Amino acid sequence: MSHSAEPADLPANGPLRPLPMVIFASRWLQVPLYLGLIVAQCVYVFLFLKELWHLVTHAFNFSEQQIMLVVLGLIDVVMISNLLIMVIVGGYETFVSRLRLQNHPDQPEWLSHVNASILKIKLAMAIIGISSIHLLRTFIEAGNIGGPTATNYTTTGVLLQTLIHTIFIFSALGIAWVDRMTLSGTSKGH
C-alpha cells in the first residue's frame, strides 16, 4: 500500500510552501527592534558616564547620602543595561536566529540554555532588581518627609511604589509557578 506525499511526510529540510515561508521569515521584522534597543543601550552608556562624571566632580561637596543616591542611580543604569542585553541577545537567539557562539570565550553562560520561559523569568527578576533599587532610593530620599528639607515624595507615593514593587514580586512568583507547572505537566505527559 503506497502513501501519498503528505506535508508530514516531507523531509525536515525540504522547501517550505509560500505561506509558511512568509510567516517564518516574518521573524526578521524583529531585527530593527533589537537594533533600536542597541541604540537605547548607547544612550544608557552616555547617561552612566554623565552621572559618573557628576559624582567624581562633586565628590568633595556631596554628603554621604547624596553620594549613595548617585551610586544607586549608577547601579540602576547598569541593571537596566543588563536587562537590555538579556532582551537583545536572548530575544534574538530565541525568536530570530541562532548567534552560533558555541565555544566562543565570551559567550554568556545563560545563553546556552535560553528559551522563552527562562527569558521571561530572567526579565521578571531583573525588573524586580531595578524596582528594588528605585524603592531603596525612594526610602532614602523619603526620610525627609515632614522634615525641614523638602522632598519630592509623599507618604502616599512611597506606599504606592512599595505596593507596585510587591506586585512585581508576586508577578514574578506567578510566572515562575506557571512555568514550573507547565514543565511538570509536560514531563508527566511524555
Side-chain angles (χ1 to χ4, degrees):
M1 185 168 174
S2 71
H3 293 279
S4 63
E6 301 259 324
D9 295 330
L10 290 176
N13 58 358
L16 291 175
R17 294 184 322 233
L19 183 59
M21 184 174 63
V22 168
I23 291 171
F24 185 61
S26 71
R27 72 192 191 283
W28 289 99
L29 291 174
Q30 289 190 349
V31 171
L33 305 177
Y34 293 121
L35 293 174
L37 289 178
I38 292 171
V39 172
Q41 177 89 347
C42 293
V43 171
Y44 267 100
V45 169
F46 176 76
L47 177 65
F48 181 89
L49 293 174
K50 184 177 115 179
E51 286 298 311
L52 183 62
W53 179 254
H54 183 73
L55 175 65
V56 169
T57 58
H58 294 87
F60 293 109
N61 304 330
F62 280 172
S63 68
E64 181 182 357
Q65 182 178 356
Q66 289 172 312
I67 290 172
M68 188 183 329
L69 289 172
V70 173
V71 169
L72 285 173
L74 292 174
I75 292 169
D76 185 43
V77 170
V78 169
M79 292 182 77
I80 291 172
S81 183
N82 290 344
L83 177 64
L84 281 169
I85 288 296
M86 278 193 292
V87 171
I88 294 165
V89 175
Y92 184 89
E93 174 86 11
T94 302
F95 300 111
V96 179
S97 184
R98 298 281 177 227
L99 292 170
R100 292 177 175 72
L101 296 175
Q102 292 79 6
N103 301 323
H104 191 281
D106 295 330
Q107 177 187 1
E109 179 184 317
W110 56 269
L111 191 59
S112 63
H113 55 274
V114 73
N115 61 38
S117 294
I118 291 172
L119 195 57
K120 279 189 293 190
I121 292 171
K122 285 192 174 296
L123 294 177
M125 296 308 294
I127 289 169
I128 290 171
I130 292 166
S131 176
S132 297
I133 295 295
H134 280 261
L135 193 57
L136 182 57
R137 286 178 69 182
T138 298
F139 286 154
I140 291 170
E141 290 183 35
N144 296 325
I145 292 178
T149 56
T151 181
N152 292 330
Y153 295 99
T154 63
T155 304
T156 304
V158 173
L159 289 173
L160 287 174
Q161 193 171 348
T162 303
L163 177 66
I164 291 168
H165 179 71
T166 305
I167 291 170
F168 284 157
I169 291 171
F170 283 121
S171 296
L173 289 171
I175 290 169
W177 181 75
V178 168
D179 187 55
R180 186 173 185 170
M181 295 301 292
T182 304
L183 288 176
S184 66
T186 307
S187 63
K188 289 178 184 175
H190 290 283

